[in-house]
Amino acid sequence: MPFVFKRMISFVFLASLAVIQATHAQDRPNILLILADDMGWNDVGYHGSEIQTPRLDALAANGVVLDRFYAQPTCSPTRAALMAGKSAMSQGVLSPLSKINPAGLPLERRLLPEYLRTAGYQTAMVGKWHLGYRQAPYLPTSRGFEHFYGHLTGGIGYWDHVHGGGLDWQRNGKRLREPGYSTHLMASEAVSVIEKRDTHKPLFLYASFNAPHLPNEA
């Protein structure tokens, strides 16, 4: 997953912790962290790809591109490092977590949303979790996120939201059967979270898209 958003693990984590040092809520910026899944180096227009990515090209042109960072090539290890600010290997997350795995990201790790929530942030996640599925303590709403919408496992169907024969689509623990393409649904939820936030408190929103991960369903 050698894409710019996925190579900012230590930078984003340390920068977010620095934000926590601010004294007043109004001094703390809102944080929107966007993650793309299995997106390659040459899958963006600004690297000369035939794939058209005008929005990402604009972000790159007007922001800072970190081009000497490296990440794990698969789902769960990258997410584990991003959320905990430590290498995936040190946490024992060496490959994508199976749906039948009883555990997830080690519970003794304090995660980025937990730090930010302690500092007075509203914390919300939209999209793909893939850091624990079968037990409640490993779910995003047990790891610092006040709001979660999306799926807990890996490569769900973009249209039916099914993984491994079972529906994997929810909002805050309530299973949902709703029509729509997952990328569009996640984007709409992210916008809704931003619009409905408490403007008196800073917001941390983790938008973890499953695209362009398999299956290939346009």
Side-chain angles (χ1 to χ4, degrees), residues 121-202:
Y121 270 75
Q122 302 163 82
T123 56
M125 178 183 170
V126 172
K128 176 179 174 178
W129 175 239
H130 211 184
L131 290 175
Y133 171 75
R134 299 190 68 84
Q135 298 187 58
Y138 292 96
L139 303 184
T141 47
S142 299
R143 308 300 302 267
F145 287 106
E146 300 168 277
H147 177 82
F148 171 70
Y149 172 87
H151 60 107
L152 299 171
T153 59
I156 64 164
Y158 284 81
W159 292 103
D160 62 11
H161 316 139
V162 168
H163 175 74
L167 179 67
D168 183 10
W169 197 252
Q170 64 164 272
R171 180 182 285 111
N172 296 324
K174 183 178 181 180
R175 185 171 295 184
L176 299 175
R177 292 188 181 275
E178 59 181 359
Y181 190 68
S182 63
T183 304
H184 299 161
L185 294 173
M186 292 173 188
S188 294
E189 183 79 5
V191 171
S192 177
V193 168
I194 292 172
E195 291 179 341
K196 295 178 180 179
R197 75 190 189 281
D198 181 353
T199 56
H200 296 95
K201 297 173 62 178

Side-chain angles (χ1 to χ4, degrees), residues 106-118:
L107 297 177
E108 61 269 22
R109 298 297 190 195
R110 194 177 185 201
L111 307 188
L112 176 58
E114 294 179 280
Y115 282 105
L116 290 171
R117 190 171 178 179
T118 300

Side-chain angles (χ1 to χ4, degrees), residues 41-51 53 57:
W41 172 267
N42 199 42
D43 291 344
V44 289
Y46 65 87
H47 282 160
S49 174
E50 63 181 4
I51 301 171
T53 56
D57 297 350

